[in-house]
Amino acid sequence: MNPSSIRRFIFTLITGYLAIFGVQKIPYELDNQWLVLIPVLIVVYIITIWLDGIFFKDSAVEATTESKTKKVQKQSSNKGFGQ
């Protein structure tokens, strides 16, 4: 696992815990709490990925550009069709 995956996983755990805590503190009696928790956790995951992209944009861009340049260099060393 690369560092960005670990960071995103920890960030999702923290925000998910805060979302669950917030839903449990709602002053209404819910018949089925999972009907509220599942959509909230999906939204929290989407927001977490979006915020991770905003906060740590530079590290993700550097990692993708390095891997793309390595692929291009490997492909350019191959000979073309019929050679």
Side-chain angles (χ1 to χ4, degrees):
M1 290 180 74
N2 57 8
S4 63
S5 297
I6 296 169
R7 179 186 65 233
R8 188 176 297 139
F9 177 70
I10 292 171
F11 197 33
T12 304
L13 283 177
I14 293 169
T15 54
Y17 175 77
L18 292 174
I20 291 171
F21 183 74
V23 167
Q24 289 178 348
K25 293 296 179 183
I26 293 175
Y28 301 107
E29 184 67 32
L30 301 171
D31 293 332
N32 190 356
Q33 200 174 31
W34 287 105
L35 290 176
V36 177
L37 280 177
I38 297 296
V40 166
L41 290 175
I42 291 170
V43 170
V44 163
Y45 178 73
I46 293 169
I47 292 172
T48 301
I49 299 302
W50 176 66
L51 288 175
D52 182 60
I54 289 175
F55 291 145
F56 302 103
K57 181 171 44 173
D58 296 332
S59 63
V61 171
E62 290 175 10
T64 57
T65 55
E66 288 177 8
S67 64
K68 287 182 181 179
T69 55
K70 289 179 184 177
K71 287 180 184 177
V72 170
Q73 290 174 354
K74 288 180 183 178
Q75 289 176 355
S76 64
S77 65
N78 294 337
K79 299 202 181 216
F81 180 75
Q83 293 182 1

